[in-house]
Amino acid sequence: MSASILMLSARIALAVCLYAFLSLILIVLWRDLRAAQSFGTVRGRRPVLQRIRADGTPSQEFSLSKDSCLIGRSSGMEIPLADETVSAVHARVWKEGDRWWLEDLDSRNGTFLNQIPMAKSAVLCSGDRIRIGRILLEFRAGESATVPNPPPSAEPPA
């Protein structure tokens, strides 16, 4: 009789562990779903492209205030990058649904996403690194930067 009680106790313990594991999975999936729904609108803030210096420290922040922003050397760009390795109209970042996309606009030196040359448009995720010519930018989905925009003349060369 004690063997049957022991077996029943083991089955009950196994069932409790299984339900606890399934509950944990559901909680993690629920949190991920809620995070995905708020992608790009963390606390109502717009995503930013943050310029990163050669030493890895952030220097300048560009807010993606429009749903489509052009990046380039030309003065009419929403995100102007004054560097001879950047094409006049180099790349475009735009919002489609809840996602932000990046595409190279047939630039002279190409656009790299996380050190991979871009052949076609790609979805951006928070923390992605974008290299445009010699300029390194980091995409931040609705997060506040640690450094405010300095005046253009005060920005050190990257």
Side-chain angles (χ1 to χ4, degrees):
M1 180 129 206
S2 70
S4 63
I5 292 175
L6 184 63
M7 186 64 107
L8 179 62
S9 298
R11 287 181 180 173
I12 291 173
L14 182 62
V16 167
C17 289
L18 180 62
Y19 281 111
F21 178 71
L22 290 174
S23 298
L24 181 64
I25 289 175
L26 288 175
I27 289 169
V28 168
L29 288 174
W30 178 255
R31 287 182 182 167
D32 284 351
L33 180 63
R34 291 193 41 114
Q37 288 174 343
S38 65
F39 177 74
T41 57
V42 177
R43 292 185 218 124
R45 300 189 78 120
R46 299 287 291 192
V48 297
L49 287 176
Q50 190 170 40
R51 189 170 178 172
I52 307 295
R53 292 185 186 117
D55 64 1
T57 59
S59 68
Q60 187 177 14
E61 180 182 284
F62 302 99
S63 177
L64 300 176
S65 57
K66 297 180 180 178
D67 285 348
S68 180
C69 296
L70 292 174
I71 304 170
R73 192 179 67 243
S74 178
S75 61
M77 301 291 104
E78 286 86 5
I79 301 171
L81 300 175
D83 188 276
E84 65 273 1
T85 61
V86 177
S87 297
V89 180
H90 197 104
R92 178 173 75 118
V93 177
W94 79 97
K95 183 178 180 182
E96 189 173 293
D98 289 339
R99 296 185 177 182
W100 285 87
W101 292 77
L102 173 69
E103 74 174 324
D104 181 74
L105 299 175
D106 296 324
S107 63
R108 177 181 68 225
N109 292 318
T111 302
F112 294 78
L113 180 59
N114 297 322
Q115 299 180 4
I116 299 170
M118 293 191 65
K120 59 182 180 177
S121 304
V123 174
L124 291 171
C125 295
S126 191
D128 278 348
R129 296 265 173 127
I130 303 163
R131 181 164 299 282
I132 295 178
R134 290 186 298 214
I135 307 294
L136 182 62
L137 302 168
E138 187 170 313
F139 178 76
R140 291 281 171 201
E143 300 167 20
S144 177
T146 56
V147 176
N149 264 348
S153 60
E155 183 182 345

